[in-house]
Amino acid sequence: MNWAPSPEIFSAPLTIPILDLKIALRWYSVMFMFCFASGYFILRRLFRKEGWPNDIADGLLMAVILGTVIGARLGHCLFYQPDYYLTHPWEIPMVRKGGLASHGGAIGIFIAVFWFAKRDGRKSFWQLIDRVALVVPLSGMFVRIGNFFNSEILGKPTDFPWAVTFSRIDSMPRHPAQLYEALCYLVIFFIEWAYYQKRKAQTYPGSLLGLTLILIFSVRFVIEFVKEDQVAFEAGLSLNMGQLLSLPVIAVGFWLLKTSRSRAEAHSESTRPHKSKKKK
């Protein structure tokens, strides 16, 4: 398959004196909008079924958008190109130049949900983060499709019959690593949704988050073997930066699953009314 679409759906010059600017709509931007829109509508419907206030989804969406974008951008700058961005800090906010890291995005979401839970006060952090975790795989699918349209995060050369030649980059047939990840994330989304539908309120605090971290970053770890290195310093390493960052995240996922039951018991104990002893 030969793949050479323009990253822009359309563009038009912006007529401002002196400045040579244009407005453009990019496929990657559309996919990013899909990831937040789909997550919002799924969570809003889920919250309605659980009897939660309708406005929780609105505030949570804004917090997650900011946490995702800021975390993913800082993650790329600090994990992959710290030497450059620490000497050119004014370029860190220039997201349009590319460079977002899913590990940084995960940290950003975690912080954003924690902040929202403390600020809003109606639902606990664990209640919110577990439900956000349900839609994260679907969002990841849309992001990887956006990478495919951008001809970025390329796979290694291969002679497999489904190889893709990214003609905007070179003439080498490659693994469509972006589509591998997108398909895996879609499968993970259905697995987690089935798990939640089966257990519903019986899911222990942190179990959905733990399951999400394990599945997503295990997939990421494996698929990195068929990806090209994203930055020069990864050349010659047994594991690239994406894999090295995935290992502690997977470990955290297993810890969350292991401790989820005790976390539920501790919460139940703290909310159980204590009987007062009568004096004789």
Side-chain angles (χ1 to χ4, degrees), residues 34 36 64 84 90 129 160 204 275:
F34 279 165
F36 289 121
V64 169
Y84 179 81
W90 56 89
I129 197 67
F160 285 3
Y204 296 131
K275 294 182 180 180

Side-chain angles (χ1 to χ4, degrees), residues 97-156:
K97 288 190 174 183
L100 298 173
S102 58
H103 301 86
I107 295 172
I109 292 173
F110 189 91
I111 294 173
V113 174
F114 182 82
W115 172 83
F116 178 81
K118 290 295 184 182
R119 180 177 177 272
D120 185 76
R122 287 176 289 179
K123 297 295 177 181
S124 72
F125 165 75
W126 294 111
Q127 288 175 305
L128 293 170
I129 197 67
D130 274 339
R131 283 149 185 81
V132 169
L134 276 174
V135 299
V136 165
L138 191 62
S139 299
M141 180 197 72
F142 285 121
V143 170
R144 284 298 179 249
I145 293 175
N147 295 138
F148 186 69
F149 274 103
N150 272 359
S151 297
E152 60 190 5
I153 309 183
L154 301 179
K156 293 179 178 179

